[in-house]
Amino acid sequence: MIYFVTSNKGKHAEARALFGDLVQKDIGYTEIQADTLEEVAAYGIKEVASRLDGPVMIEDAGLFVDALKGFPGVYSAYVQKTIGNSGILRLMERVEKRSAYFKSVVAYAEPGQESVMFKGEVHGKIGFEERGRKGFGYDPIFYVDDISLGEMEIEEKNRISHRAASMNALKEWLEARKG
Ligand code: ITT
């Protein structure tokens, strides 16, 4: 059993489909202001590991839009809450270069052990409209092969997503360690 500390139900649902035995803990942790997701996750995992007795995992993710020089990046949660998807579409009006990527950094720790981190990315494009109601956050405006992540079932998104890549890397590490 692993505790997954997150406030985000969508993340938990995706992680749950990859790891059977996952328990969501919505207890919050300090998300430091930093330039990279790795720094945010490294700080956060220390905090949650000191508060929970057992294997713990957190995940920090962000959307990086090339034409916006990587914005919203580490500010993705704040930007989603404030200007939202319509705000990003507005910033991208008349912009031809639509390429963007999601990045996920998962951090995992067991009591008394050093934490480990795994990363994943999915590359795609910012669309011209919101499509689909299946995912969460930026999913309706992020397209891979002309389909938005918001139009995909969890199983489909988990075949290509940044989160599935980082979490599958953690799974492989855990399995390899078992021997
Ligand atoms: P935590 O409690 O796990 O931190 P959060 O929603 O704050 O939940 P993040 O800081 O990692 O999570 O996410 C940054 C933002 O990016 C947030 O607004 C998410 O909705 C969005 N986001 C993250 N992963 C996404 C995905 O797979 N698809 C669409 N949007 C995503």
Side-chain angles (χ1 to χ4, degrees):
M1 190 274 303
I2 300 174
Y3 291 121
F4 182 22
V5 180
T6 180
S7 60
N8 187 314
K9 286 201 187 78
K11 272 190 188 183
H12 180 246
E14 289 173 19
R16 191 67 192 266
L18 299 170
F19 287 86
D21 214 1
L22 208 62
V23 175
Q24 183 184 6
K25 286 272 179 188
D26 186 0
I27 56 171
Y29 60 88
T30 312
E31 290 203 24
I32 58 164
Q33 205 169 349
D35 293 338
T36 64
L37 300 175
E38 285 85 350
E39 289 167 88
V40 177
Y43 188 91
I45 193 70
K46 286 208 182 80
E47 187 181 311
V48 299
S50 73
R51 286 162 62 198
L52 290 170
D53 192 19
V56 289
M57 165 172 113
I58 60 171
E59 190 242 5
D60 201 38
L63 172 70
F64 297 78
V65 181
D66 293 333
L68 305 178
K69 306 215 184 321
F71 181 84
V74 292
Y75 307 108
S76 292
Y78 181 74
V79 169
Q80 178 62 222
K81 267 185 270 173
T82 52
I83 63 172
N85 289 338
S86 58
I88 296 288
L89 291 180
R90 225 171 297 129
L91 290 174
M92 293 294 286
E93 265 170 23
R94 286 182 287 277
V95 174
E96 258 178 55
K97 184 178 164 191
R98 313 292 298 182
S99 56
Y101 65 98
F102 274 113
K103 181 169 175 178
S104 158
V105 175
V106 62
Y108 170 86
E110 289 176 9
Q113 303 285 315
E114 281 285 312
S115 62
V116 286
M117 260 200 257
F118 299 91
K119 300 166 200 179
E121 291 184 4
V122 57
H123 290 254
K125 285 184 179 152
I126 301 300
F128 289 92
E129 57 173 20
E130 295 188 43
R131 264 212 252 145
R133 291 164 169 270
K134 287 195 178 116
F136 65 93
Y138 297 101
D139 282 342
I141 62 167
F142 187 88
Y143 291 61
V144 176
D145 296 336
D146 298 325
I147 299 171
S148 86
L149 294 186
E151 295 177 296
M152 295 184 190
E153 301 292 345
I154 284 186
E155 295 68 31
E156 277 177 281
K157 184 175 169 187
N158 271 353
R159 276 200 285 275
I160 58 167
S161 84
H162 53 312
R163 177 162 304 104
S166 63
M167 292 195 174
N168 279 326
L170 168 60
K171 254 177 87 172
E172 277 168 30
W173 182 83
L174 290 168
E175 275 154 25
R177 202 183 49 162
K178 266 195 260 159

